[in-house]
Amino acid sequence: MMSSSKLPGNNSLAPTLLQRIQALDRSSLAPSYTALVLFHPSSSSQHAVVGHVQNSFMKSTLINCRDVHGEPIFVLEEKQSNHLGSVKDILRLHVDVQYERNTTNYNAYDPAALFHLRTESFAQVAKKVISRQHSDIYPVYPFAANDKGLILAHVNRSLAPYLGIDSVGVHLNCYVRQDNIIRGVWLAKRAATKSHHPNYWDTTVAGGQPHNLSLYENIVKEAHEEAGVPAEWLRNDASNEAFSDHTHDPLTMTTAKEDGSCMKRSFYYSFDLQVPDDWQPTSVDGEVQEFKLYSIEELDNELRFGKNLRPAMRAVLLDFMIRYGLLKEAEGQDDCSELSKSMRRERIRLW
């Protein structure tokens, strides 16, 4: 039987903290998705999985997209075998298929030319299916670990989740310490105009990762824009004990929207900053409507029972709590090693 905990002040049963975190994982949606595959002749299989597309969206929208010449932008190839012997349908770019057919040997392969063709194809799709495009551009990487860092195309941030492109976010947790004890963490309420999860609460600073910045460069930029954090506070050297970088140990989960669309692999990279007691965050870019200093008790209660946090932030903030030994462990329920493991999951494989 599933164990449950009681909400404070009533007899209603609620999921345990572990169950709330496990519910963030949406890998069970995998059977309703098709792998997005690009030509990659330097890999062992000549191809690389870079995303996955919901079958209903693929059939109703993507397959019907045409380029400026009237050619289909995507091609569904049925029952394709990969180097591991897996036989499944895969979705490909038409320009990729044409390029592969016309490339007779590896020496004729021009990665830069194909990069441009793919990026232009994705840009045409974004214009057709996304009503409001984002200013950020995301890189498209192969899923294979041995191809880490290789960028095969660029895609608009707004289109990326519909293609199952990896999502990378950076987070800054600004906390207050008194008498050598962490007393609270600043949280940010997302603006009502945000397209996703308006009016929900985030970490002090939260931002997507564009293609042209390092994780550290991005958090410095986002910290100034979203919360008015001085860049010198984020000086990344041994003498700055108030700032810590935890990007070597990201959270990794398969996430999706509530309706089951936009399944993707999400990476959450965190930094922590101890701030002065009398400092308050100030929104510079207007993407935050207010900040609140949550006490550790309030945050613990919100993680277990609340509905105010953007769902994925439960994991990011729980990881912060575990990192500093702040979790008020419920007897017989909270195993920190199990909680940590549930926030660092293996990538699902569709092909």
Side-chain angles (χ1 to χ4, degrees):
M1 173 180 283
M2 182 175 71
S3 66
S4 300
S5 55
K6 292 186 178 181
L7 282 166
N10 63 46
N11 295 320
S12 300
L13 293 179
T16 65
L17 183 54
L18 178 59
Q19 288 165 346
R20 295 196 91 189
I21 297 301
Q22 290 173 332
L24 297 174
D25 178 71
R26 306 299 300 280
S27 57
S28 62
L29 295 169
S32 63
Y33 278 74
T34 295
L36 175 62
V37 177
L38 296 182
F39 179 50
H40 183 30
S42 60
S43 69
S44 58
S45 66
Q46 301 281 301
H47 300 93
V49 179
V50 299
H52 22 64
V53 178
Q54 190 176 32
N55 293 339
S56 58
F57 178 67
M58 175 182 67
K59 294 174 182 177
S60 67
T61 304
L62 294 186
I63 291 298
N64 297 317
C65 286
R66 296 289 187 271
D67 65 17
V68 293
H69 305 293
E71 296 288 341
I73 295 177
F74 291 98
V75 176
L76 180 63
E77 295 187 344
E78 299 181 343
K79 298 180 179 177
Q80 298 297 306
S81 176
N82 66 8
H83 68 292
L84 298 176
S86 176
V87 179
K88 292 184 178 180
D89 296 348
I90 60 174
L91 185 67
R92 300 187 62 189
L93 284 174
H94 185 248
V95 293
D96 251 40
V97 175
Q98 286 185 314
Y99 193 94
E100 183 176 4
R101 288 172 180 168
N102 296 332
T103 303
T104 57
N105 60 71
Y106 180 76
N107 292 329
Y109 172 53
D110 185 347
L114 190 51
F115 179 98
H116 174 76
L117 291 171
R118 291 166 174 158
T119 299
E120 177 57 28
S121 291
F122 287 140
Q124 291 185 52
V125 174
K127 290 177 182 178
K128 294 176 183 295
V129 304
I130 302 297
S131 59
R132 187 173 67 175
Q133 295 192 49
H134 203 283
S135 59
D136 285 349
I137 300 298
Y138 277 6
V140 178
Y141 296 107
F143 283 176
N146 57 346
D147 287 323
K148 187 177 181 180
L150 178 66
I151 303 176
L152 298 180
H154 283 157
V155 64
N156 188 273
R157 174 176 172 175
S158 296
L159 178 63
Y162 291 94
L163 301 179
I165 306 298
D166 282 353
S167 171
V168 178
V170 293
H171 298 271
L172 179 67
N173 301 296
C174 292
Y175 63 93
V176 172
R177 189 188 294 269
Q178 296 174 340
D179 301 324
N180 207 33
I181 298 174
I182 296 177
R183 301 293 186 182
V185 184
W186 283 101
L187 300 189
K189 190 174 185 180
R190 295 164 65 86
T193 55
K194 297 285 282 184
S195 58
H196 301 294
H197 298 101
N199 301 315
Y200 280 78
W201 290 82
D202 267 344
T203 50
T204 320
V205 176
Q209 181 62 32
H211 72 97
N212 58 340
L213 295 174
S214 68
L215 294 171
Y216 173 73
E217 290 169 339
N218 193 28
I219 201 62
V220 171
K221 178 184 78 71
E222 293 286 346
H224 166 71
E225 293 176 353
E226 292 195 357
V229 178
E232 58 267 26
W233 288 8
L234 302 175
R235 192 179 67 257
N236 199 12
D237 60 50
S239 66
N240 185 11
E241 296 183 355
F243 178 68
S244 54
D245 181 339
H246 304 280
T247 57
H248 63 283
D249 188 25
L251 306 186
T252 54
M253 295 184 291
T254 299
T255 62
K257 291 185 177 182
E258 288 187 8
D259 63 3
S261 64
C262 297
M263 184 184 76
K264 62 189 182 299
R265 172 87 155 170
S266 294
F267 294 77
Y268 303 96
Y269 291 92
S270 291
F271 301 83
D272 299 335
L273 177 68
Q274 181 179 335
V275 296
D277 297 358
D278 58 355
W279 177 79
Q280 291 190 9
T282 302
S283 177
V284 175
D285 63 8
E287 293 196 0
V288 174
Q289 57 177 296
E290 68 173 293
F291 292 92
K292 177 183 175 181
L293 183 62
Y294 269 66
S295 70
I296 298 305
E297 290 73 19
E298 287 176 316
L299 184 53
D300 186 280
N301 189 70
E302 176 63 33
L303 291 172
R304 295 181 189 281
F305 310 112
K307 297 181 180 179
N308 296 315
L309 292 176
R310 178 159 64 103
M313 295 306 96
R314 293 176 195 155
V316 176
L317 288 162
L318 174 60
D319 196 47
F320 171 85
M321 298 278 278
I322 292 174
R323 189 154 56 241
Y324 292 95
L326 301 173
L327 191 65
K328 312 299 183 186
E329 296 186 26
E331 185 176 353
Q333 287 187 17
D334 300 331
D335 181 333
C336 286
S337 63
E338 189 66 24
L339 286 167
S340 182
K341 182 180 177 181
S342 71
M343 297 184 287
R344 294 168 174 85
R345 293 177 175 266
E346 295 295 323
R347 182 188 293 281
I348 61 173
R349 179 182 290 275
L350 296 186
W351 189 67

